[in-house]
Amino acid sequence: MIKKVGIIGFGTVGSGVYETLLNKRTKINQLINGDFVVPVVLVKNLHKTRDVPEETEVIDQFDQLSSRSDLDAVIEASPDSYTAYPYVKTLLKNGTTVVTANKELMANHGEELLQLAAENQCRLFFEAAVAGGIPILTSIRHTLKTNDIEKIEGIVNGTSNFILTKMRDEGAAFNRALKEAQEKGYAEAIPDKDIDGWDAYFKTVILSHWIFGTSPTWLTDKPSGIRGIDVRDLLLASEFNGRIKHVASIERDETKIEATVRPKLVLSGHSLYGVEGVNNGIHVKGSIVGSLLFQGAGAGKFPTASAVIEDLINHWTDTSEETPLSGIEFEQTRLNIQNVRTNFGAQIESKTDAWLVTGKQLALQLENQNTVTSLTNIKKRDGREALLVKGKETDVKEVMTALNDSVWIYPVCGEDTDWDQIQAVNNISAS
Ligand SMILES: NC(=O)C1=CN([C@@H]2O[C@H](COP(=O)(O)OP(=O)(O)OC[C@H]3O[C@@H](n4cnc5c(N)ncnc54)[C@H](OP(=O)(O)O)[C@@H]3O)[C@@H](O)[C@H]2O)C=CC1
Ligand SMILES: N[C@@H](CC=O)C(=O)O
């Protein structure tokens, strides 16, 4: 029998999926041992020109799609959680399997929707929601089952990584780099989600649920993005043999799971240092395998289409386990993921760590220097200064001042044991 799939959203992702389905028809037909059609595509604006053959009807009313009883699956690629939630909820209640790329939807409503899918004997797939084309969710679930995942550290927002790379390598202005990311289809419809850290935050929530069955405790009062980063900071970072990258991290121990999303200084020996442009990189530390790096296109039309279509084929060939783990008990407050944005600041970061501090004419308040140790001399670039220090973040914030400017503080990415590396790449003698 011919399988039928509907598509919601026909922008970068939806049209990429459609084109790929048509271009790969022979291969897909072999895989599913049959044939398929896309009888319906739901969009917002019917007046836009769409390059679709006659077999596909383009509609702008959800009822026309949800009332069909012949769809074997629906691909959801609308811009946000607000749009997608009622659609996906209705489809799952009707028993229709959904493949979504929508990370905001899954971070805000994933638990409820997965429960609905289970109750209605259908499935909800979302590989494309984390790290675009990288098959990170499937890999973790299928090939790292026996490992306890101890730490995940990753560049998971392609737009931010693209902008930072362009600014550093080409001296591009922030707005120009962002515009290019939008033109290439990397950015969200509201790009503030990318540059203010929310997109990475959604992905972090999904990863934490996928791996640990629960949301993490956030160590900062909200995610930080790359908005406002000075290009001179990006250049100064190279003076310390590092690059400033936007990094999401989740770490667990026996009793808790902690997460941050913020720009960090990544030193040259770190696995994320070479993850550039629109690429994402996810460093996974497993209890048996050790360190792994998953790297590849984190955004864009065809890499994302790849992830969506692999989910669809897994559904049609019944070869995937999509349900996140549950039932792992940690002694931590369980966050209410319906209201994720209000649950930050559970514990402001207070670990002793190394930090890159930047600003205009930096000054270390002498009377407090016993709480913060400076590891390097101040380095300067076009009227901006930077140095590496060691201490607790709260102390660093208190001790470092700058004239006529705010101080930016970037944690050094990595583990406490990376001290040797920090010292080696910066020629700091052990004391
Ligand atoms: N771009 C990327 O690289 C990636 C995106 N994603 C996720 O995929 C999803 C889609 O992203 P992307 O394709 O970039 O977004 P786009 O903005 O390019 O496309 C959004 C599509 O949704 C349609 N749409 C908007 N409102 C409605 C509505 N009320 N009902 C039905 N359709 C609607 C639009 O219709 P119209 O064409 O008429 O305007 C458009 O076709 C997002 O959730 C995003 O986070 C995930 C991974 C990567
Ligand atoms: N806007 C997102 C798209 C993929 O998830 C990004 O830039 O990573």
Side-chain angles (χ1 to χ4, degrees):
M1 207 162 71
I2 296 180
K3 293 190 183 299
K4 293 185 180 166
V5 57
I7 300 181
I8 299 177
F10 207 70
T12 303
V13 176
S15 69
V17 168
Y18 189 85
E19 278 177 54
T20 310
L21 283 172
L22 299 195
N23 292 338
K24 293 284 172 194
R25 182 181 290 281
T26 309
K27 174 84 182 178
I28 291 171
N29 287 356
Q30 280 168 2
L31 287 169
I32 66 173
N33 198 19
D35 200 355
F36 70 90
V37 285
V38 184
V40 63
V41 168
L42 176 71
V43 295
K44 184 176 182 185
N45 181 354
L46 269 188
H47 301 295
K48 283 188 192 168
T49 309
R50 321 270 174 183
D51 186 16
V52 293
E54 260 182 22
E55 68 179 31
T56 303
E57 186 187 6
V58 181
I59 57 171
D60 65 352
Q61 295 300 312
F62 176 65
D63 290 354
Q64 287 176 264
L65 184 143
S66 62
S67 60
R68 297 181 68 120
S69 57
D70 59 343
L71 297 177
D72 293 292
V74 170
I75 288 162
E76 191 286 305
S78 74
D80 50 36
S81 167
Y82 173 80
T83 308
Y85 176 63
Y87 293 165
V88 174
K89 197 170 168 176
T90 304
L91 290 166
L92 296 175
K93 275 187 174 169
N94 290 349
T96 308
T97 286
V98 175
V99 178
T100 183
N102 198 320
K103 67 291 297 235
E104 185 177 354
L105 174 76
M106 291 309 297
N108 286 338
H109 303 289
E111 249 183 277
E112 179 200 348
L113 294 173
L114 284 159
Q115 180 68 32
L116 259 184
E119 284 166 13
N120 292 285
Q121 289 81 48
C122 57
R123 303 171 80 179
L124 174 59
F125 294 84
F126 48 99
E127 177 62 74
V130 181
I134 304 175
I136 185 69
L137 299 182
T138 311
S139 301
I140 288 174
R141 186 57 62 80
H142 283 274
T143 52
L144 295 170
K145 285 190 186 82
T146 323
N147 280 264
D148 291 324
I149 307 295
E150 295 163 356
K151 182 170 183 170
I152 296 250
E153 206 165 39
I155 294 169
V156 293
N157 184 258
T159 299
S160 296
N161 206 37
F162 177 84
I163 292 173
L164 292 178
T165 306
K166 279 254 154 197
M167 287 172 69
R168 190 197 67 229
D169 283 359
E170 299 171 21
F174 181 89
N175 285 338
R176 183 163 73 75
L178 171 59
K179 190 160 176 281
E180 196 175 332
Q182 289 175 297
E183 286 162 2
K184 288 179 182 292
Y186 303 153
E188 297 300 303
I190 299 174
D192 304 26
K193 290 180 192 168
D194 295 295
I195 61 180
D196 291 329
W198 290 105
D199 180 80
Y201 161 75
F202 296 141
K203 291 163 177 167
T204 307
V205 170
I206 296 170
L207 277 169
S208 181
H209 273 260
W210 186 252
I211 298 166
F212 303 121
T214 188
S215 290
T217 297
W218 292 93
L219 293 182
T220 51
D221 57 4
K222 64 178 178 56
S224 303
I226 62 161
R227 190 194 290 271
I229 285 184
D230 193 310
V231 68
R232 290 170 297 178
D233 284 4
L234 305 182
L235 299 173
L236 275 165
S238 64
E239 301 277 337
F240 299 88
N241 294 307
R243 288 177 178 156
I244 289 169
K245 299 271 180 198
H246 189 251
V247 178
S249 105
I250 315 174
E251 206 164 344
R252 64 161 282 188
D253 62 18
E254 295 305 311
T255 58
K256 58 192 181 309
I257 306 162
E258 295 176 332
T260 57
V261 165
R262 61 191 298 180
K264 291 188 174 179
L265 177 71
V266 177
L267 295 171
S268 59
H270 194 284
S271 56
L272 299 180
Y273 178 83
V275 178
E276 293 275 76
V278 72
N279 274 0
N280 282 187
I282 304 183
H283 170 235
V284 178
K285 194 171 165 207
S287 57
I288 307 169
V289 71
S291 287
L292 297 171
L293 178 70
F294 295 84
Q295 185 176 186
K301 187 168 178 165
F302 294 113
T304 310
S306 164
V308 169
I309 289 171
E310 293 295 344
D311 270 352
L312 181 67
I313 304 306
N314 283 336
H315 164 52
W316 278 344
T317 53
D318 204 18
T319 48
S320 182
E321 304 165 57
E322 79 284 6
T323 310
L325 297 174
S326 60
I328 300 175
E329 295 297 331
F330 288 92
E331 290 172 21
Q332 54 130 24
T333 314
R334 192 179 168 80
L335 300 183
N336 172 7
I337 71 165
Q338 301 291 344
N339 294 302
V340 281
R341 288 179 188 220
T342 60
N343 283 300
F344 281 95
Q347 179 195 328
I348 299 293
E349 196 154 40
S350 62
K351 286 182 195 161
T352 298
D353 262 318
W355 311 86
L356 179 71
V357 185
T358 66
K360 210 192 283 178
Q361 290 188 286
L362 289 176
L364 204 57
Q365 285 172 5
L366 287 174
E367 66 271 21
N368 288 322
Q369 270 203 36
N370 55 337
T371 56
V372 175
T373 319
S374 91
L375 295 169
T376 59
N377 293 329
I378 288 182
K379 301 188 180 179
K380 303 183 182 191
R381 188 138 198 168
D382 303 329
R384 197 149 171 95
E385 304 188 337
L387 88 160
L388 264 180
V389 299
K390 185 181 178 183
K392 287 190 178 26
E393 181 167 22
T394 39
D395 292 334
V396 174
K397 278 187 175 149
E398 195 178 308
V399 166
M400 298 301 309
T401 56
L403 298 178
N404 308 319
D405 192 20
S406 59
V407 164
W408 279 64
I409 298 175
Y410 302 94
V412 176
C413 187
E415 304 178 45
D416 297 342
T417 49
D418 283 350
W419 274 108
D420 289 349
Q421 192 203 344
I422 294 173
Q423 292 177 330
V425 298
N426 283 288
N427 298 320
I428 302 163
S429 56
S431 58

